[in-house]
Amino acid sequence: MTPPPPVTDRAPSDPPGGLAPEHSGTFDAALGDAELLAARAALAQGRWQSARSLLLHTGDEWDRRGHRVTVLAAGSGAHSRAGQWLLAEPGSADAATLLALALVHRALAGEEDPEHARASCRTAAGLAPADPTPWLGLLLLARAFGPEAELTAAFKELRVRHPEHHHGHHLLIAGLAERPPGGPESHEAYDTAERAAAEAPADSPLAVLPVVAYAERHRVLAAAGLAPAVPGPAPCAHWTGPRARRVLRAAFDWWLEWEHDEHPRRHLDLNHLAFAMSAAGRPAEAAALFHRIGPHATRAPWSYTGQDPWAAFHQARAHALATG
């Protein structure tokens, strides 16, 4: 079992966890993937060949493929570049998938008809029947526009293709978290997340999914004024009940033993764990996580606080390093 990194004495005003000044105040969805960063830069300059090579070599690493396609697709002009690629290589499943996800991002931004994006996702799915990524696009659309039946239907198709799909599970849990609770510590999102974690292999990052479910419920409760928005010095009751404590302990223990440096979305899990430990009043664990996060802060779950997510991240981080 690998111990957490040591907590060093660092003034809150110092660059956090090795965070370089040029990263301050920004979130980058690429999460440190150097090959993805290079392909995204080339795509922004009108060169789609790097994206083609990247996706070709990614192959059927479905979590990595989904991560890379969604990041590339979110770039300015990605739909135009993907369209050019598809004209050059008609029938390319990779080009069709990138175009579909680019149209999804445009629909989410109010710049594209969601039905057009849905049709494009279905076209891509037809070209690559085993690939869950076009279904990830449909899941993103269902999460944003509904109906809820589309969310569960798209997730079912995605899960058939990749039972442990990281992004897909996060989207499903976010949707379920908005349903009314059955009691203070009872909720469908919690049950679904714990079941997915239990069914996954021991080394699967889905072990952190129950923490994600609690974070999503924190988002809903904070928006309704029923939970403190920003993790502060006092523990938040949402994170200190018996079930929450069990969930946090299991997820942190999993991180100590099984953390995957190679998983493309691992920093999202680390940020969720740091958010949870901060809210639960466990600064020592939070400090270890903040050191491991380094420059890779993620917008979620810090955006769930209702304030500037970068400010919320740094507030929680400064408190953890000062007291942990």
Side-chain angles (χ1 to χ4, degrees):
M1 180 178 293
T2 304
V7 179
T8 59
D9 293 327
R10 182 190 294 273
S13 59
D14 288 342
L19 190 62
E22 62 268 23
H23 291 288
S24 183
T26 64
F27 297 98
D28 189 348
L31 299 178
D33 184 330
E35 293 177 303
L36 174 58
L37 287 166
R40 184 178 65 181
L43 195 66
Q45 295 168 2
R47 304 192 308 273
W48 50 263
Q49 292 82 359
S50 292
R52 179 186 186 278
S53 178
L54 179 73
L55 297 182
L56 176 65
H57 289 99
T58 304
D60 61 358
E61 292 182 65
W62 298 129
D63 276 346
R64 191 174 305 280
R65 178 176 171 84
H67 172 64
R68 287 176 163 177
V69 171
T70 53
V71 171
L72 290 171
S76 176
H79 68 294
S80 298
R81 313 306 182 208
Q84 292 165 7
W85 177 8
L86 198 55
L87 284 174
E89 297 184 4
S92 166
D94 285 350
T97 300
L98 180 58
L99 176 60
L101 270 293
L103 293 176
V104 167
H105 279 284
R106 285 176 58 80
L108 298 178
E111 299 170 352
E112 184 65 62
D113 179 4
E115 288 305 318
H116 183 206
R118 285 192 180 95
S120 188
C121 288
R122 295 190 182 280
T123 297
L127 290 171
D131 186 357
T133 312
W135 294 98
L136 176 61
L138 289 167
L139 194 61
L140 285 162
L141 291 169
R143 174 78 183 102
F145 302 111
E148 189 173 281
E150 288 289 334
L151 183 76
T152 53
F155 177 77
K156 181 179 179 181
E157 293 288 348
L158 180 145
R159 195 169 184 271
V160 165
R161 290 158 176 81
H162 182 35
E164 298 170 56
H165 201 287
H166 191 272
H167 196 168
H169 277 86
H170 276 235
L171 290 169
L172 177 71
I173 293 302
L176 293 180
E178 293 168 2
R179 291 179 175 176
E185 289 203 322
S186 174
H187 198 279
E188 185 178 358
Y190 302 159
D191 297 339
T192 301
E194 290 192 32
R195 185 165 57 250
E199 292 174 354
D203 63 345
S204 171
L206 291 187
V208 182
L209 195 64
V211 173
V212 175
Y214 264 84
E216 294 293 348
R217 279 299 295 166
H218 188 126
R219 168 179 60 84
V220 174
L221 293 171
L226 300 175
V230 183
C236 172
H238 176 70
W239 293 97
T240 56
R243 187 174 190 177
R245 291 198 302 272
R246 173 173 55 79
V247 160
L248 288 185
R249 182 172 60 252
F252 191 78
D253 288 349
W254 177 88
W255 173 63
L256 291 176
E257 184 169 3
W258 293 105
E259 182 193 5
H260 289 290
D261 286 343
E262 74 278 5
H263 192 274
R265 286 165 52 87
R266 66 189 180 281
H267 293 296
L268 189 63
D269 287 334
L270 291 174
N271 275 264
H272 275 86
L273 275 171
F275 177 87
M277 292 300 179
S278 298
R282 296 169 64 169
E285 292 98 326
L289 290 156
F290 280 119
H291 276 285
R292 189 59 63 92
I293 288 166
H296 301 298
T298 57
R299 187 172 298 277
W302 306 103
S303 59
Y304 298 171
T305 62
Q307 66 168 193
D308 175 72
W310 192 256
F313 170 82
H314 276 282
Q315 178 180 325
R317 187 188 181 285
H319 177 72
L321 294 188
T323 60

